[in-house]
Coordinates of all heavy atoms in Angstrom, one line a residue:
G467 N -6.0 -4.2 25.1 CA -6.4 -4.8 26.4 C -5.4 -5.8 26.9 O -4.4 -6.1 26.2
K468 N -5.6 -6.2 28.1 CA -4.6 -7.2 28.7 C -4.5 -8.4 27.9 O -3.4 -9.0 27.8 CB -5.1 -7.5 30.2 CG -4.6 -6.6 31.2 CD -4.2 -7.4 32.5 CE -3.2 -6.6 33.3 NZ -3.8 -5.4 33.9
S469 N -5.6 -8.9 27.3 CA -5.6 -10.1 26.5 C -4.9 -9.9 25.1 O -4.7 -10.9 24.4 CB -7.0 -10.6 26.3 OG -7.6 -9.8 25.3
G470 N -4.6 -8.6 24.8 CA -4.0 -8.4 23.5 C -5.0 -7.9 22.5 O -4.7 -7.6 21.4
L471 N -6.3 -7.8 22.9 CA -7.3 -7.3 22.1 C -7.1 -5.8 21.7 O -6.8 -5.0 22.5 CB -8.7 -7.4 22.8 CG -10.0 -7.1 22.0 CD1 -10.1 -8.1 20.9 CD2 -11.2 -7.1 22.9
R472 N -7.1 -5.5 20.4 CA -6.7 -4.2 19.9 C -8.0 -3.4 19.5 O -8.9 -3.9 18.8 CB -5.8 -4.3 18.7 CG -4.5 -5.1 19.0 CD -3.7 -5.1 17.7 NE -4.3 -5.8 16.6 CZ -3.7 -6.1 15.5 NH1 -2.4 -5.9 15.3 NH2 -4.4 -6.7 14.5
E473 N -8.0 -2.1 20.0 CA -9.1 -1.2 19.7 C -9.4 -1.1 18.2 O -10.5 -1.2 17.8 CB -8.8 0.2 20.2 CG -9.9 1.2 20.0 CD -9.5 2.6 20.4 OE1 -8.4 2.8 21.0 OE2 -10.3 3.5 20.2
K474 N -8.3 -1.0 17.4 CA -8.5 -0.8 15.9 C -9.3 -2.0 15.3 O -10.1 -1.8 14.4 CB -7.2 -0.6 15.2 CG -6.3 -1.9 15.2 CD -5.0 -1.6 14.3 CE -4.1 -2.8 14.3 NZ -3.0 -2.6 13.4
D475 N -9.2 -3.2 15.8 CA -9.9 -4.4 15.3 C -11.3 -4.4 15.8 O -12.3 -4.7 15.0 CB -9.2 -5.7 15.7 CG -7.8 -5.7 15.2 OD1 -7.5 -5.2 14.0 OD2 -6.9 -6.3 15.9
V476 N -11.5 -4.1 17.1 CA -12.8 -4.1 17.7 C -13.7 -3.0 17.0 O -14.9 -3.3 16.6 CB -12.8 -3.8 19.2 CG1 -14.2 -3.6 19.8 CG2 -12.0 -4.9 19.9
V477 N -13.2 -1.8 16.8 CA -14.1 -0.8 16.3 C -14.4 -0.9 14.8 O -15.5 -0.5 14.4 CB -13.5 0.6 16.6 CG1 -13.4 0.9 18.1 CG2 -12.1 0.9 16.0
L478 N -13.5 -1.6 14.1 CA -13.8 -1.9 12.7 C -14.9 -2.9 12.6 O -15.8 -2.7 11.8 CB -12.5 -2.4 12.0 CG -12.7 -2.8 10.5 CD1 -13.2 -1.6 9.7 CD2 -11.4 -3.3 9.9
S479 N -14.9 -3.8 13.5 CA -16.0 -4.8 13.5 C -17.3 -4.2 13.9 O -18.3 -4.5 13.2 CB -15.6 -5.9 14.5 OG -16.7 -6.6 15.0
I480 N -17.3 -3.3 14.9 CA -18.6 -2.6 15.3 C -19.1 -1.7 14.1 O -20.3 -1.7 13.8 CB -18.3 -1.8 16.6 CG1 -18.1 -2.8 17.7 CG2 -19.6 -0.9 16.9 CD1 -17.7 -2.1 19.0
A481 N -18.1 -1.0 13.5 CA -18.6 -0.2 12.4 C -19.2 -0.9 11.2 O -20.2 -0.5 10.6 CB -17.4 0.7 11.9
R482 N -18.6 -2.1 10.9 CA -19.2 -2.9 9.8 C -20.6 -3.4 10.2 O -21.5 -3.4 9.3 CB -18.2 -4.1 9.6 CG -17.0 -3.8 8.8 CD -16.1 -5.0 8.7 NE -14.9 -4.7 7.9 CZ -13.8 -5.4 7.9 NH1 -13.6 -6.4 8.7 NH2 -12.8 -5.1 7.1
E483 N -20.8 -3.8 11.4 CA -22.1 -4.2 11.9 C -23.1 -3.0 11.8 O -24.3 -3.2 11.4 CB -22.1 -4.8 13.3 CG -21.3 -6.1 13.4 CD -21.9 -7.2 12.6 OE1 -23.2 -7.2 12.5 OE2 -21.2 -8.0 12.0
T484 N -22.6 -1.9 12.2 CA -23.5 -0.7 12.2 C -23.9 -0.3 10.7 O -25.0 0.0 10.5 CB -22.7 0.5 12.8 OG1 -22.2 0.1 14.1 CG2 -23.7 1.7 13.0
K485 N -22.9 -0.4 9.9 CA -23.2 -0.1 8.4 C -24.3 -1.0 7.9 O -25.2 -0.5 7.3 CB -21.9 -0.4 7.6 CG -22.0 0.0 6.1 CD -20.6 -0.1 5.5 CE -20.6 0.4 4.1 NZ -21.0 -0.5 3.1
K486 N -24.2 -2.3 8.2 CA -25.3 -3.3 7.7 C -26.6 -2.8 8.2 O -27.6 -2.8 7.4 CB -25.0 -4.7 8.3 CG -24.0 -5.5 7.5 CD -24.0 -6.9 8.1 CE -22.6 -7.4 8.4 NZ -22.5 -8.6 9.3
R487 N -26.7 -2.5 9.5 CA -28.0 -2.1 10.0 C -28.6 -0.8 9.4 O -29.7 -0.7 9.1 CB -27.9 -2.0 11.6 CG -27.9 -3.3 12.3 CD -27.2 -3.2 13.6 NE -27.2 -4.5 14.3 CZ -26.3 -5.5 14.0 NH1 -25.5 -5.4 13.0 NH2 -26.4 -6.6 14.7
M488 N -27.7 0.1 9.3 CA -28.1 1.4 8.7 C -28.5 1.3 7.3 O -29.5 1.9 6.8 CB -27.0 2.5 8.8 CG -26.8 2.9 10.3 SD -25.6 4.2 10.4 CE -25.7 4.7 12.1
E489 N -27.8 0.5 6.5 CA -28.2 0.3 5.1 C -29.5 -0.4 5.0 O -30.3 -0.1 4.1 CB -27.1 -0.5 4.4 CG -25.9 0.3 4.1 CD -24.7 -0.4 3.5 OE1 -24.7 -1.7 3.7 OE2 -23.8 0.2 2.9
S490 N -29.9 -1.3 6.0 CA -31.2 -1.9 5.9 C -32.3 -0.9 6.2 O -33.4 -1.1 5.8 CB -31.2 -3.1 6.9 OG -31.4 -2.6 8.2
L491 N -31.9 0.2 6.7 CA -32.9 1.3 6.9 C -33.0 2.3 5.7 O -33.7 3.2 5.7 CB -32.6 2.1 8.2 CG -32.8 1.4 9.5 CD1 -32.3 2.3 10.7 CD2 -34.2 0.9 9.7
G492 N -32.1 2.0 4.7 CA -32.1 2.8 3.5 C -31.1 4.0 3.6 O -31.1 4.9 2.7
Y493 N -30.3 4.0 4.6 CA -29.3 5.1 4.7 C -28.1 4.8 3.7 O -27.8 3.6 3.5 CB -28.7 5.3 6.1 CG -29.7 5.6 7.1 CD1 -29.4 5.4 8.5 CD2 -31.0 6.0 6.8 CE1 -30.4 5.6 9.5 CE2 -32.0 6.2 7.8 CZ -31.6 6.0 9.2 OH -32.5 6.2 10.1
K494 N -27.5 5.8 3.2 CA -26.2 5.6 2.5 C -25.1 5.7 3.5 O -24.9 6.7 4.2 CB -26.1 6.7 1.4 CG -26.3 6.2 0.0 CD -26.0 7.3 -1.0 CE -24.8 6.9 -1.9 NZ -25.1 5.6 -2.6
V495 N -24.3 4.6 3.6 CA -23.3 4.6 4.6 C -21.9 4.4 4.0 O -21.7 3.6 3.2 CB -23.6 3.4 5.6 CG1 -22.5 3.5 6.8 CG2 -25.0 3.5 6.2
H496 N -21.0 5.3 4.4 CA -19.6 5.2 4.0 C -18.7 5.0 5.3 O -19.1 5.4 6.4 CB -19.1 6.4 3.3 CG -19.9 6.7 2.0 ND1 -19.5 6.2 0.8 CD2 -21.0 7.4 1.8 CE1 -20.4 6.6 -0.1 NE2 -21.3 7.4 0.5
M497 N -17.6 4.4 5.1 CA -16.6 4.2 6.2 C -15.3 4.9 5.9 O -14.9 4.9 4.7 CB -16.4 2.7 6.5 CG -17.6 2.1 7.2 SD -17.6 0.3 7.2 CE -16.3 -0.1 8.3
T498 N -14.7 5.6 6.9 CA -13.4 6.2 6.6 C -12.3 5.2 6.4 O -11.3 5.5 5.7 CB -13.0 7.1 7.8 OG1 -13.1 6.4 9.0 CG2 -14.0 8.3 7.9
R499 N -12.5 4.0 6.9 CA -11.6 2.9 6.6 C -12.4 1.6 6.7 O -13.2 1.5 7.6 CB -10.4 2.9 7.5 CG -10.6 2.5 8.9 CD -9.3 2.4 9.7 NE -9.5 2.1 11.1 CZ -9.5 0.8 11.6 NH1 -9.2 -0.2 10.9 NH2 -9.7 0.6 12.9
N500 N -12.2 0.7 5.8 CA -12.8 -0.6 6.0 C -11.7 -1.7 5.9 O -12.0 -2.8 5.4 CB -13.9 -0.8 4.9 CG -14.8 -1.9 5.2 OD1 -14.7 -2.6 6.3 ND2 -15.7 -2.2 4.3
E501 N -10.5 -1.4 6.3 CA -9.4 -2.3 6.4 C -8.5 -1.8 7.4 O -8.7 -0.7 8.0 CB -8.8 -2.4 5.0 CG -8.3 -1.1 4.4 CD -7.8 -1.2 3.0 OE1 -7.6 -2.3 2.5 OE2 -7.7 -0.1 2.4
D502 N -7.4 -2.6 7.7 CA -6.5 -2.2 8.7 C -5.4 -1.3 8.2 O -4.3 -1.6 7.9 CB -5.8 -3.5 9.3 CG -4.9 -3.2 10.5 OD1 -5.0 -2.1 11.0 OD2 -4.1 -4.1 10.8
V503 N -5.8 0.0 8.0 CA -4.9 1.0 7.4 C -5.0 2.3 8.3 O -6.0 2.6 8.9 CB -5.4 1.3 6.0 CG1 -6.8 1.9 5.9 CG2 -4.4 2.2 5.2
F504 N -3.9 3.0 8.3 CA -3.8 4.2 9.0 C -4.3 5.3 8.1 O -3.8 5.5 7.1 CB -2.4 4.5 9.5 CG -2.3 5.9 10.0 CD1 -2.9 6.3 11.2 CD2 -1.7 6.9 9.2 CE1 -2.8 7.6 11.7 CE2 -1.6 8.2 9.7 CZ -2.2 8.6 10.9
I505 N -5.3 6.1 8.6 CA -5.9 7.2 7.9 C -5.7 8.5 8.8 O -6.3 8.5 9.9 CB -7.4 7.0 7.5 CG1 -7.6 5.7 6.8 CG2 -7.9 8.2 6.7 CD1 -7.0 5.7 5.4
P506 N -5.1 9.5 8.3 CA -4.9 10.7 9.2 C -6.3 11.3 9.6 O -7.2 11.2 8.8 CB -4.1 11.7 8.3 CG -3.5 10.8 7.3 CD -4.4 9.6 7.0
L507 N -6.3 11.9 10.7 CA -7.6 12.5 11.2 C -8.2 13.5 10.3 O -9.4 13.5 10.0 CB -7.3 13.1 12.6 CG -6.8 12.2 13.7 CD1 -6.5 12.9 15.0 CD2 -7.9 11.1 14.0
G508 N -7.4 14.4 9.7 CA -7.9 15.4 8.8 C -8.5 14.8 7.5 O -9.5 15.3 7.0

Side-chain angles (χ1 to χ4, degrees):
K468 269 224 160 64
S469 73
L471 188 64
R472 300 180 302 189
E473 180 184 359
K474 65 175 181 178
D475 300 324
V476 173
V477 297
L478 179 57
S479 155
I480 293 173
R482 283 174 175 159
E483 291 300 322
T484 310
K485 182 173 191 277
K486 278 189 229 164
R487 284 157 179 75
M488 289 185 172
E489 282 174 343
S490 75
L491 293 177
Y493 305 161
K494 253 186 120 54
V495 184
H496 299 273
M497 289 164 67
T498 53
R499 68 175 179 97
N500 197 1
E501 54 187 346
D502 186 13
V503 65
F504 167 73
I505 306 292
L507 298 174

